[in-house]
PDB file of all heavy atoms in Angstrom:
ATOM      1  N   MET A   1      -6.788  -3.800  15.019  1.00 79.00           N
ATOM      2  CA  MET A   1      -5.880  -2.754  15.473  1.00 79.00           C
ATOM      3  C   MET A   1      -4.480  -3.318  15.736  1.00 79.00           C
ATOM      4  O   MET A   1      -3.483  -2.711  15.393  1.00 79.00           O
ATOM      5  CB  MET A   1      -6.400  -2.100  16.756  1.00 79.00           C
ATOM      6  CG  MET A   1      -7.824  -1.595  16.631  1.00 79.00           C
ATOM      7  SD  MET A   1      -7.974  -0.263  15.400  1.00 79.00           S
ATOM      8  CE  MET A   1      -9.707  -0.388  14.999  1.00 79.00           C
ATOM      9  N   TYR A   2      -4.482  -4.525  16.360  1.00 83.00           N
ATOM     10  CA  TYR A   2      -3.177  -5.140  16.611  1.00 83.00           C
ATOM     11  C   TYR A   2      -2.445  -5.394  15.296  1.00 83.00           C
ATOM     12  O   TYR A   2      -1.235  -5.233  15.217  1.00 83.00           O
ATOM     13  CB  TYR A   2      -3.349  -6.469  17.365  1.00 83.00           C
ATOM     14  CG  TYR A   2      -3.730  -6.270  18.801  1.00 83.00           C
ATOM     15  CD1 TYR A   2      -4.935  -6.749  19.302  1.00 83.00           C
ATOM     16  CD2 TYR A   2      -2.888  -5.573  19.662  1.00 83.00           C
ATOM     17  CE1 TYR A   2      -5.293  -6.542  20.622  1.00 83.00           C
ATOM     18  CE2 TYR A   2      -3.241  -5.360  20.982  1.00 83.00           C
ATOM     19  CZ  TYR A   2      -4.448  -5.849  21.459  1.00 83.00           C
ATOM     20  OH  TYR A   2      -4.797  -5.631  22.773  1.00 83.00           O
ATOM     21  N   MET A   5      -0.785  -2.210  14.122  1.00 91.00           N
ATOM     22  CA  MET A   5       0.446  -1.930  14.875  1.00 91.00           C
ATOM     23  C   MET A   5       1.568  -2.861  14.419  1.00 91.00           C
ATOM     24  O   MET A   5       2.698  -2.429  14.211  1.00 91.00           O
ATOM     25  CB  MET A   5       0.203  -2.146  16.363  1.00 91.00           C
ATOM     26  CG  MET A   5      -0.744  -1.143  16.948  1.00 91.00           C
ATOM     27  SD  MET A   5      -0.950  -1.455  18.704  1.00 91.00           S
ATOM     28  CE  MET A   5      -2.358  -0.417  19.009  1.00 91.00           C
ATOM     29  N   PHE A 143     -16.428  16.082   4.059  1.00 86.00           N
ATOM     30  CA  PHE A 143     -16.834  17.414   4.516  1.00 86.00           C
ATOM     31  C   PHE A 143     -18.331  17.619   4.332  1.00 86.00           C
ATOM     32  O   PHE A 143     -19.013  18.132   5.201  1.00 86.00           O
ATOM     33  CB  PHE A 143     -16.076  18.552   3.816  1.00 86.00           C
ATOM     34  CG  PHE A 143     -14.589  18.438   3.975  1.00 86.00           C
ATOM     35  CD1 PHE A 143     -13.802  17.957   2.951  1.00 86.00           C
ATOM     36  CD2 PHE A 143     -13.981  18.777   5.181  1.00 86.00           C
ATOM     37  CE1 PHE A 143     -12.436  17.826   3.108  1.00 86.00           C
ATOM     38  CE2 PHE A 143     -12.613  18.642   5.341  1.00 86.00           C
ATOM     39  CZ  PHE A 143     -11.832  18.169   4.304  1.00 86.00           C
ATOM     40  N   VAL A 195      -9.454   4.019  10.178  1.00 93.00           N
ATOM     41  CA  VAL A 195      -9.985   3.772  11.519  1.00 93.00           C
ATOM     42  C   VAL A 195     -11.304   4.514  11.710  1.00 93.00           C
ATOM     43  O   VAL A 195     -12.294   3.961  12.206  1.00 93.00           O
ATOM     44  CB  VAL A 195      -8.949   4.218  12.579  1.00 93.00           C
ATOM     45  CG1 VAL A 195      -9.591   4.331  13.940  1.00 93.00           C
ATOM     46  CG2 VAL A 195      -7.788   3.241  12.622  1.00 93.00           C
ATOM     47  N   LEU A 199     -15.344   3.239  12.279  1.00 89.00           N
ATOM     48  CA  LEU A 199     -16.118   3.595  13.472  1.00 89.00           C
ATOM     49  C   LEU A 199     -17.429   4.301  13.134  1.00 89.00           C
ATOM     50  O   LEU A 199     -18.315   4.397  13.976  1.00 89.00           O
ATOM     51  CB  LEU A 199     -15.288   4.500  14.395  1.00 89.00           C
ATOM     52  CG  LEU A 199     -14.120   3.850  15.126  1.00 89.00           C
ATOM     53  CD1 LEU A 199     -13.308   4.909  15.854  1.00 89.00           C
ATOM     54  CD2 LEU A 199     -14.598   2.798  16.113  1.00 89.00           C
ATOM     55  N   ARG A 234      17.252  10.489   4.871  1.00 88.00           N
ATOM     56  CA  ARG A 234      17.200  11.879   5.304  1.00 88.00           C
ATOM     57  C   ARG A 234      18.556  12.538   5.054  1.00 88.00           C
ATOM     58  O   ARG A 234      19.575  11.880   4.968  1.00 88.00           O
ATOM     59  CB  ARG A 234      16.767  12.001   6.766  1.00 88.00           C
ATOM     60  CG  ARG A 234      17.670  11.373   7.786  1.00 88.00           C
ATOM     61  CD  ARG A 234      17.210  11.725   9.195  1.00 88.00           C
ATOM     62  NE  ARG A 234      15.910  11.139   9.502  1.00 88.00           N
ATOM     63  CZ  ARG A 234      15.728  10.086  10.300  1.00 88.00           C
ATOM     64  NH1 ARG A 234      16.762   9.491  10.876  1.00 88.00           N
ATOM     65  NH2 ARG A 234      14.533   9.616  10.544  1.00 88.00           N
ATOM     66  N   TYR A 235      18.500  13.870   4.901  1.00 81.00           N
ATOM     67  CA  TYR A 235      19.690  14.629   4.531  1.00 81.00           C
ATOM     68  C   TYR A 235      20.829  14.395   5.501  1.00 81.00           C
ATOM     69  O   TYR A 235      20.632  14.548   6.689  1.00 81.00           O
ATOM     70  CB  TYR A 235      19.345  16.125   4.469  1.00 81.00           C
ATOM     71  CG  TYR A 235      20.495  16.988   4.046  1.00 81.00           C
ATOM     72  CD1 TYR A 235      20.768  17.181   2.694  1.00 81.00           C
ATOM     73  CD2 TYR A 235      21.319  17.589   4.996  1.00 81.00           C
ATOM     74  CE1 TYR A 235      21.838  17.960   2.302  1.00 81.00           C
ATOM     75  CE2 TYR A 235      22.394  18.364   4.595  1.00 81.00           C
ATOM     76  CZ  TYR A 235      22.652  18.544   3.257  1.00 81.00           C
ATOM     77  OH  TYR A 235      23.714  19.300   2.862  1.00 81.00           O
ATOM     78  N   GLN A 314      14.961  22.586   5.303  1.00 91.00           N
ATOM     79  CA  GLN A 314      13.871  23.535   5.545  1.00 91.00           C
ATOM     80  C   GLN A 314      12.663  23.203   4.677  1.00 91.00           C
ATOM     81  O   GLN A 314      11.518  23.276   5.114  1.00 91.00           O
ATOM     82  CB  GLN A 314      14.323  24.968   5.239  1.00 91.00           C
ATOM     83  CG  GLN A 314      15.187  25.573   6.327  1.00 91.00           C
ATOM     84  CD  GLN A 314      15.655  26.965   5.954  1.00 91.00           C
ATOM     85  OE1 GLN A 314      16.186  27.182   4.871  1.00 91.00           O
ATOM     86  NE2 GLN A 314      15.446  27.920   6.843  1.00 91.00           N
ATOM     87  N   SER A 317      10.895  20.138   6.003  1.00 92.00           N
ATOM     88  CA  SER A 317      10.120  20.449   7.201  1.00 92.00           C
ATOM     89  C   SER A 317       8.844  21.203   6.833  1.00 92.00           C
ATOM     90  O   SER A 317       7.765  20.952   7.379  1.00 92.00           O
ATOM     91  CB  SER A 317      10.993  21.260   8.154  1.00 92.00           C
ATOM     92  OG  SER A 317      10.240  21.855   9.164  1.00 92.00           O
ATOM     93  N   CYS A 335     -14.916  12.374   9.132  1.00 88.00           N
ATOM     94  CA  CYS A 335     -15.853  12.307  10.263  1.00 88.00           C
ATOM     95  C   CYS A 335     -17.199  12.919   9.914  1.00 88.00           C
ATOM     96  O   CYS A 335     -18.212  12.596  10.530  1.00 88.00           O
ATOM     97  CB  CYS A 335     -15.337  13.105  11.456  1.00 88.00           C
ATOM     98  SG  CYS A 335     -13.848  12.479  12.112  1.00 88.00           S
ATOM     99  N   MET A 336     -17.177  13.862   8.981  1.00 84.00           N
ATOM    100  CA  MET A 336     -18.423  14.565   8.665  1.00 84.00           C
ATOM    101  C   MET A 336     -19.316  13.766   7.724  1.00 84.00           C
ATOM    102  O   MET A 336     -20.417  14.202   7.411  1.00 84.00           O
ATOM    103  CB  MET A 336     -18.095  15.909   8.027  1.00 84.00           C
ATOM    104  CG  MET A 336     -17.393  16.843   8.978  1.00 84.00           C
ATOM    105  SD  MET A 336     -17.077  18.375   8.147  1.00 84.00           S
ATOM    106  CE  MET A 336     -15.891  19.103   9.236  1.00 84.00           C
ATOM    107  N   ARG A 338     -21.783  11.311   7.410  1.00 71.00           N
ATOM    108  CA  ARG A 338     -22.677  10.553   8.285  1.00 71.00           C
ATOM    109  C   ARG A 338     -23.913  10.123   7.478  1.00 71.00           C
ATOM    110  O   ARG A 338     -24.443  10.898   6.729  1.00 71.00           O
ATOM    111  CB  ARG A 338     -23.163  11.418   9.465  1.00 71.00           C
ATOM    112  CG  ARG A 338     -22.026  11.938  10.308  1.00 71.00           C
ATOM    113  CD  ARG A 338     -21.621  10.923  11.374  1.00 71.00           C
ATOM    114  NE  ARG A 338     -20.471  11.438  12.111  1.00 71.00           N
ATOM    115  CZ  ARG A 338     -20.446  11.537  13.443  1.00 71.00           C
ATOM    116  NH1 ARG A 338     -21.453  11.152  14.166  1.00 71.00           N
ATOM    117  NH2 ARG A 338     -19.376  12.003  14.048  1.00 71.00           N
TER     118      ARG A 338
ATOM    119  N   MET B   1     -16.313  19.580  14.034  1.00 79.00           N
ATOM    120  CA  MET B   1     -15.192  19.349  13.117  1.00 79.00           C
ATOM    121  C   MET B   1     -14.754  20.652  12.438  1.00 79.00           C
ATOM    122  O   MET B   1     -13.572  20.906  12.299  1.00 79.00           O
ATOM    123  CB  MET B   1     -15.584  18.341  12.039  1.00 79.00           C
ATOM    124  CG  MET B   1     -16.122  17.038  12.594  1.00 79.00           C
ATOM    125  SD  MET B   1     -14.888  16.141  13.585  1.00 79.00           S
ATOM    126  CE  MET B   1     -15.960  15.156  14.608  1.00 79.00           C
ATOM    127  N   TYR B   2     -15.762  21.457  12.052  1.00 83.00           N
ATOM    128  CA  TYR B   2     -15.409  22.746  11.446  1.00 83.00           C
ATOM    129  C   TYR B   2     -14.622  23.597  12.426  1.00 83.00           C
ATOM    130  O   TYR B   2     -13.687  24.291  12.043  1.00 83.00           O
ATOM    131  CB  TYR B   2     -16.673  23.497  11.007  1.00 83.00           C
ATOM    132  CG  TYR B   2     -17.319  22.893   9.792  1.00 83.00           C
ATOM    133  CD1 TYR B   2     -18.598  22.373   9.838  1.00 83.00           C
ATOM    134  CD2 TYR B   2     -16.620  22.841   8.579  1.00 83.00           C
ATOM    135  CE1 TYR B   2     -19.182  21.806   8.725  1.00 83.00           C
ATOM    136  CE2 TYR B   2     -17.201  22.271   7.462  1.00 83.00           C
ATOM    137  CZ  TYR B   2     -18.482  21.751   7.536  1.00 83.00           C
ATOM    138  OH  TYR B   2     -19.046  21.189   6.434  1.00 83.00           O
ATOM    139  N   MET B   5     -11.005  22.501  12.446  1.00 90.00           N
ATOM    140  CA  MET B   5     -10.287  23.007  11.269  1.00 90.00           C
ATOM    141  C   MET B   5      -9.992  24.501  11.417  1.00 90.00           C
ATOM    142  O   MET B   5      -8.891  24.961  11.140  1.00 90.00           O
ATOM    143  CB  MET B   5     -11.131  22.797  10.016  1.00 90.00           C
ATOM    144  CG  MET B   5     -11.304  21.337   9.674  1.00 90.00           C
ATOM    145  SD  MET B   5     -12.265  21.200   8.180  1.00 90.00           S
ATOM    146  CE  MET B   5     -12.623  19.461   8.241  1.00 90.00           C
ATOM    147  N   PHE B 143      -5.578   0.143  24.758  1.00 87.00           N
ATOM    148  CA  PHE B 143      -5.131  -1.168  24.286  1.00 87.00           C
ATOM    149  C   PHE B 143      -5.923  -2.294  24.957  1.00 87.00           C
ATOM    150  O   PHE B 143      -6.339  -3.241  24.321  1.00 87.00           O
ATOM    151  CB  PHE B 143      -3.629  -1.405  24.500  1.00 87.00           C
ATOM    152  CG  PHE B 143      -2.783  -0.369  23.830  1.00 87.00           C
ATOM    153  CD1 PHE B 143      -2.193   0.656  24.555  1.00 87.00           C
ATOM    154  CD2 PHE B 143      -2.605  -0.386  22.451  1.00 87.00           C
ATOM    155  CE1 PHE B 143      -1.434   1.631  23.929  1.00 87.00           C
ATOM    156  CE2 PHE B 143      -1.849   0.586  21.820  1.00 87.00           C
ATOM    157  CZ  PHE B 143      -1.263   1.590  22.562  1.00 87.00           C
ATOM    158  N   VAL B 195     -11.179  12.750  18.301  1.00 93.00           N
ATOM    159  CA  VAL B 195     -12.171  12.387  17.288  1.00 93.00           C
ATOM    160  C   VAL B 195     -12.620  10.946  17.486  1.00 93.00           C
ATOM    161  O   VAL B 195     -13.814  10.628  17.456  1.00 93.00           O
ATOM    162  CB  VAL B 195     -11.572  12.592  15.879  1.00 93.00           C
ATOM    163  CG1 VAL B 195     -12.401  11.885  14.836  1.00 93.00           C
ATOM    164  CG2 VAL B 195     -11.456  14.074  15.568  1.00 93.00           C
ATOM    165  N   ARG B 234      12.596  26.403  12.664  1.00 88.00           N
ATOM    166  CA  ARG B 234      13.325  25.280  12.081  1.00 88.00           C
ATOM    167  C   ARG B 234      14.741  25.726  11.728  1.00 88.00           C
ATOM    168  O   ARG B 234      15.010  26.902  11.532  1.00 88.00           O
ATOM    169  CB  ARG B 234      12.586  24.696  10.877  1.00 88.00           C
ATOM    170  CG  ARG B 234      12.381  25.604   9.709  1.00 88.00           C
ATOM    171  CD  ARG B 234      11.821  24.828   8.526  1.00 88.00           C
ATOM    172  NE  ARG B 234      10.467  24.350   8.758  1.00 88.00           N
ATOM    173  CZ  ARG B 234       9.372  24.915   8.249  1.00 88.00           C
ATOM    174  NH1 ARG B 234       9.461  25.965   7.470  1.00 88.00           N
ATOM    175  NH2 ARG B 234       8.178  24.431   8.503  1.00 88.00           N
ATOM    176  N   TYR B 235      15.623  24.732  11.697  1.00 82.00           N
ATOM    177  CA  TYR B 235      17.041  25.016  11.515  1.00 82.00           C
ATOM    178  C   TYR B 235      17.303  25.813  10.244  1.00 82.00           C
ATOM    179  O   TYR B 235      16.835  25.417   9.202  1.00 82.00           O
ATOM    180  CB  TYR B 235      17.819  23.693  11.452  1.00 82.00           C
ATOM    181  CG  TYR B 235      19.308  23.866  11.301  1.00 82.00           C
ATOM    182  CD1 TYR B 235      20.105  24.084  12.417  1.00 82.00           C
ATOM    183  CD2 TYR B 235      19.898  23.854  10.045  1.00 82.00           C
ATOM    184  CE1 TYR B 235      21.463  24.264  12.284  1.00 82.00           C
ATOM    185  CE2 TYR B 235      21.260  24.049   9.908  1.00 82.00           C
ATOM    186  CZ  TYR B 235      22.039  24.251  11.031  1.00 82.00           C
ATOM    187  OH  TYR B 235      23.378  24.441  10.900  1.00 82.00           O
ATOM    188  N   GLN B 314      18.918  15.919  11.356  1.00 91.00           N
ATOM    189  CA  GLN B 314      18.737  14.460  11.394  1.00 91.00           C
ATOM    190  C   GLN B 314      18.043  14.030  12.676  1.00 91.00           C
ATOM    191  O   GLN B 314      17.170  13.161  12.663  1.00 91.00           O
ATOM    192  CB  GLN B 314      20.095  13.748  11.303  1.00 91.00           C
ATOM    193  CG  GLN B 314      20.670  13.700   9.903  1.00 91.00           C
ATOM    194  CD  GLN B 314      22.033  13.030   9.883  1.00 91.00           C
ATOM    195  OE1 GLN B 314      22.922  13.381  10.656  1.00 91.00           O
ATOM    196  NE2 GLN B 314      22.210  12.078   8.990  1.00 91.00           N
ATOM    197  N   SER B 317      14.380  14.930  12.518  1.00 92.00           N
ATOM    198  CA  SER B 317      13.652  14.011  11.649  1.00 92.00           C
ATOM    199  C   SER B 317      13.435  12.663  12.339  1.00 92.00           C
ATOM    200  O   SER B 317      12.364  12.058  12.246  1.00 92.00           O
ATOM    201  CB  SER B 317      14.425  13.850  10.339  1.00 92.00           C
ATOM    202  OG  SER B 317      13.958  12.765   9.599  1.00 92.00           O
ATOM    203  N   CYS B 335      -8.861   3.141  20.043  1.00 88.00           N
ATOM    204  CA  CYS B 335      -9.933   2.406  19.341  1.00 88.00           C
ATOM    205  C   CYS B 335     -10.292   1.122  20.056  1.00 88.00           C
ATOM    206  O   CYS B 335     -11.386   0.600  19.906  1.00 88.00           O
ATOM    207  CB  CYS B 335      -9.486   1.995  17.940  1.00 88.00           C
ATOM    208  SG  CYS B 335      -9.148   3.349  16.892  1.00 88.00           S
ATOM    209  N   MET B 336      -9.317   0.571  20.792  1.00 84.00           N
ATOM    210  CA  MET B 336      -9.546  -0.726  21.428  1.00 84.00           C
ATOM    211  C   MET B 336     -10.328  -0.595  22.729  1.00 84.00           C
ATOM    212  O   MET B 336     -10.644  -1.598  23.353  1.00 84.00           O
ATOM    213  CB  MET B 336      -8.208  -1.399  21.713  1.00 84.00           C
ATOM    214  CG  MET B 336      -7.482  -1.771  20.449  1.00 84.00           C
ATOM    215  SD  MET B 336      -5.955  -2.577  20.895  1.00 84.00           S
ATOM    216  CE  MET B 336      -5.075  -2.476  19.349  1.00 84.00           C
ATOM    217  N   ARG B 338     -13.464  -0.394  24.256  1.00 71.00           N
ATOM    218  CA  ARG B 338     -14.876  -0.548  23.886  1.00 71.00           C
ATOM    219  C   ARG B 338     -15.694  -0.932  25.125  1.00 71.00           C
ATOM    220  O   ARG B 338     -15.241  -1.696  25.932  1.00 71.00           O
ATOM    221  CB  ARG B 338     -15.041  -1.661  22.839  1.00 71.00           C
ATOM    222  CG  ARG B 338     -14.258  -1.408  21.583  1.00 71.00           C
ATOM    223  CD  ARG B 338     -15.019  -0.509  20.635  1.00 71.00           C
ATOM    224  NE  ARG B 338     -14.205  -0.276  19.451  1.00 71.00           N
ATOM    225  CZ  ARG B 338     -14.649  -0.499  18.195  1.00 71.00           C
ATOM    226  NH1 ARG B 338     -15.853  -0.907  17.974  1.00 71.00           N
ATOM    227  NH2 ARG B 338     -13.849  -0.247  17.172  1.00 71.00           N
TER     228      ARG B 338
END
Side-chain angles (χ1 to χ4, degrees):
Chain A
M1 307 296 157
Y2 287 118
M5 293 181 193
F143 303 102
V195 165
L199 289 173
R234 62 173 66 105
Y235 182 85
Q314 283 178 309
S317 166
C335 296
M336 294 181 195
R338 301 274 177 127
Chain B
M1 306 297 156
Y2 287 118
M5 293 181 193
F143 302 103
V195 164
R234 62 172 67 103
Y235 182 84
Q314 282 178 309
S317 166
C335 297
M336 293 181 196
R338 301 276 179 127

